[in-house]
């Protein structure tokens, strides 16, 4: 349905009010910037049918005053090189740009650039075409399930072993915190995690939540950011995946990150063979983390949730597929999704965008990649899933989020935030917890 002029004006006004108040992490509308872009597609939900033309009203303001600048623009398929370019002069700070259409399901990206004085200001906006029909390029190997069952059986034969020490620096009047070092295989490799309990938690009283991390080699980011989980009765496990003690200094983390080909070279490591890939240990570590959580005497014996964003969203979905003890899953803009799609000309693939790295889309690596691609795990998730993603995301593009979403056959709920790039608001993060509270058994 097309939005009328009144609706467009209301949307633009609302965007101006909302995004002027956004924090620094809001990439589309920079905090304390003198300039503000507003882009209003002529479909209020930013979605079109394949073959349907899309028009976008572009607005630019300086100090809240319309800016009559010349705007250069490019139009491209999601994450692709531009196939159309042009210029338009804003009148009273506004102009309409027809970006054409797509004949197949997917997204188009309008990329904008305005030079005002000596500075250039950039913006972009993506809209979807028959997005509900986007399907992954990645196919499931015939022995996908047996491969993972064999590896999980080997893990099950390894006794659960971990060290747990108090972390008083993260305790509050409502929360008890502990640092855990968890062995994840027979080779003594380990991961670290913080456990947050409701203070004075009683036996068999708490749902558990596993929170795997976003991409990178870094410390556990802001351990108390989600303190409200423990304050609302959950035991929450904030984990890392590289076996690096979070008490290391920033300098030590930086040195190790460079050694691993900063920032995310580990995602290439061992991909020549499915048995040697770096992420094999990581995926199995998720199951071992759930072993730990379900061994805690305070666990309620019923509820096991997984929750994360980006790489963490991918790992949450993987855990939900691998481990049937998982009862609820929340994933923001999942990475590691339809990664091999770039091997077909014109197809949009997922993070870490192996098309940008030399020699990563060989037949051998594509074969191994399929055993680790989130779309193949999504097919086997049976618990309820809540997913959220934004259309303007250039890290985990909307094309691949829809590839995951359209593959899920379980009970599912989507919270789509078109304006978002690679971020979620604190309000959205809290809504995830509230969803878990409503859905728990």
């Amino acid at each position: 349905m097309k939005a009328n002029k009144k609706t467009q004006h209301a949307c633009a006004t609302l965007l101006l009010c909302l995004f002027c108040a956004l924090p620094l992490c809001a990439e589309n509308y920079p905090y304390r910037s003198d300039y503000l872009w507003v882009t209003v597609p002529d479909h209020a939900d930013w979605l079109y049918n394949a073959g349907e033309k899309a028009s976008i009203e572009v607005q630019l303001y300086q100090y809240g005053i319309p800016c009559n600048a010349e705007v250069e623009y490019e139009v491209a398929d999601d994450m692709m090189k531009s196939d159309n370019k042009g210029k338009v002069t804003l009148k009273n700070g506004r102009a309409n740009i027809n970006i054409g259409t797509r004949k197949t399901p997917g997204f188009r990206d309008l990329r904008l650039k305005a030079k005002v004085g000596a500075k250039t200001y950039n913006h972009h906006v993506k809209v979807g075409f028959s997005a509900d029909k986007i399907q992954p390029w990645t196919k499931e190997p015939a022995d996908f399930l047996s491969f993972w069952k064999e590896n999980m059986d080997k893990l099950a034969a390894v006794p659960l072993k971990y060290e747990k020490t108090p972390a008083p620096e993260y305790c509050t009047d409502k929360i008890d915190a502990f640092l855990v070092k968890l062995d994840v295989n027979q080779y003594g490799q380990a991961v670290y995690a913080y456990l947050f309990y409701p203070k004075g938690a009683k036996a068999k009283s708490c749902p558990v939540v596993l929170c795997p991390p976003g991409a990178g080699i870094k410390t556990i980011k802001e351990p108390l950011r989600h303190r409200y989980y423990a304050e609302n009765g959950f035991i929450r496990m904030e984990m890392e995946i590289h076996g690096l003690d979070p008490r290391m200094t920033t300098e030590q983390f930086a040195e190790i990150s460079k050694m691993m080909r900063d920032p995310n070279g580990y995602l290439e490591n061992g991909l020549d063979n499915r048995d040697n890939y770096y992420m094999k240990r990581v995926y199995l570590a998720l199951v071992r983390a759930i072993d730990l959580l379900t061994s805690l005497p305070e666990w309620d014996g019923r509820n096991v949730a997984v929750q994360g964003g980006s790489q963490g969203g991918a790992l949450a979905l993987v855990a939900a597929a691998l481990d049937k003890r998982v009862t609820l899953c929340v994933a923001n803009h999942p990475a590691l999704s339809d990664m091999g799609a770039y091997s077909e000309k014109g197809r949009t693939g997922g993070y870490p965008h192996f098309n940008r790295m030399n020699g990563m889309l060989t037949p051998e690596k594509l074969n191994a990649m399929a055993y680790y691609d989130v779309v193949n795990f999504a097919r086997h998730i049976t618990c309820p899933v809540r997913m959220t993603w934004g259309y303007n995301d250039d890290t985990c593009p909307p094309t691949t989020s829809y590839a995951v979403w359209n593959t899920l056959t379980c009970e599912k709920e989507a919270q789509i935030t078109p304006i978002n790039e690679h971020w979620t608001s604190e309000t959205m993060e809290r809504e995830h917890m509230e969803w878990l509270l409503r859905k728990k058994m």
Side-chain angles (χ1 to χ4, degrees), residues 68-305:
N68 294 330
E70 182 179 77
V71 174
E72 297 180 23
Y73 67 86
E74 299 181 349
V75 187
D77 288 338
D78 196 7
M79 306 302 295
M80 298 287 116
K81 292 182 179 179
S82 64
D83 51 53
N84 185 23
K85 298 181 180 181
K87 294 181 180 180
V88 65
T89 300
L90 303 181
K91 296 181 180 179
N92 295 319
R94 301 179 178 220
N96 282 289
I97 300 176
N98 188 329
I99 69 167
T101 188
R102 281 184 60 110
K103 295 181 180 179
T104 57
F107 276 77
R108 294 281 280 168
D109 189 5
L110 173 63
R111 300 162 187 166
L112 305 163
K113 181 168 63 176
K115 188 173 182 180
V116 184
K119 291 187 177 181
T120 299
Y121 298 88
N122 297 287
H123 187 56
H124 80 124
V125 57
K126 298 183 191 180
V127 296
F129 297 84
S130 297
D132 59 334
K133 294 180 173 59
I134 293 172
Q135 292 297 313
W137 174 90
T138 300
K139 301 295 186 291
E140 182 176 319
D143 62 345
F144 178 81
L145 291 177
S146 60
F147 170 77
W148 284 107
K149 183 180 185 304
E150 178 183 350
N151 282 286
M152 288 179 63
D153 287 346
K154 291 178 181 177
L155 176 65
V158 180
L160 175 65
K161 181 182 177 182
Y162 64 93
E163 300 171 10
K164 176 183 169 187
T165 57
E169 65 273 28
Y170 295 120
C171 292
T172 72
D173 60 336
K174 297 179 181 179
I175 298 171
D176 289 322
F178 298 87
L179 178 64
V180 169
K181 181 182 179 182
L182 172 66
D183 286 7
V184 296
N185 55 35
Q186 67 270 34
Y187 307 113
Q189 293 177 311
V191 297
Y192 286 83
Y194 284 108
L195 278 175
F196 296 97
Y197 290 72
K199 190 170 287 291
K202 297 180 180 179
K204 298 183 178 180
S205 65
C206 299
V208 293
V209 182
L210 174 64
C211 181
I217 298 174
K218 55 196 176 189
T219 187
I220 296 172
K221 188 178 179 181
E222 301 178 71
L224 283 175
R225 178 187 173 195
H226 295 100
R227 70 179 70 190
Y228 45 81
Y229 276 82
E231 292 172 351
N232 282 272
F234 291 95
I235 295 174
R236 183 176 175 88
M237 185 178 192
E238 297 269 358
M239 70 179 288
E240 60 85 44
I241 60 172
H242 303 295
L244 301 176
D245 191 326
R247 295 167 295 189
M248 293 168 62
T249 65
T250 300
E251 291 75 18
Q252 289 171 318
F253 275 105
E255 288 176 0
I256 293 171
S257 184
K258 289 177 183 177
M259 180 185 70
M260 295 290 289
R261 294 183 63 188
D262 181 64
N264 298 320
Y266 64 91
L267 290 168
E268 306 171 46
N269 194 340
L271 196 50
D272 291 293
N273 184 294
R274 67 180 187 178
D275 291 308
N276 298 333
Y277 187 36
Y278 188 94
M279 296 301 285
K280 178 181 175 183
R281 177 181 65 86
V282 174
Y283 285 15
L284 293 172
L286 302 169
V287 177
R288 182 84 329 168
I290 294 170
D291 289 340
L292 187 160
L293 287 168
T294 56
S295 75
L296 299 175
E298 295 86 358
W299 176 47
D300 66 9
R302 299 183 304 278
N303 295 286
V304 178

Side-chain angles (χ1 to χ4, degrees), residues 30-93:
Y31 180 57
R32 293 184 177 177
S33 174
D34 290 336
Y35 289 86
L36 175 67
W37 291 95
V38 177
T39 47
V40 186
D42 61 344
H43 282 200
D45 61 1
W46 301 30
L47 294 176
Y48 302 77
N49 293 320
E52 190 174 11
K53 291 183 179 180
S55 178
I56 297 175
E57 183 181 62
V58 175
Q59 305 170 28
L60 181 62
Y61 298 88
Q62 181 185 23
Y63 316 126
I65 300 169
C67 186
N68 294 330
E70 182 179 77
V71 174
E72 297 180 23
Y73 67 86
E74 299 181 349
V75 187
D77 288 338
D78 196 7
M79 306 302 295
M80 298 287 116
K81 292 182 179 179
S82 64
D83 51 53
N84 185 23
K85 298 181 180 181
K87 294 181 180 180
V88 65
T89 300
L90 303 181
K91 296 181 180 179
N92 295 319

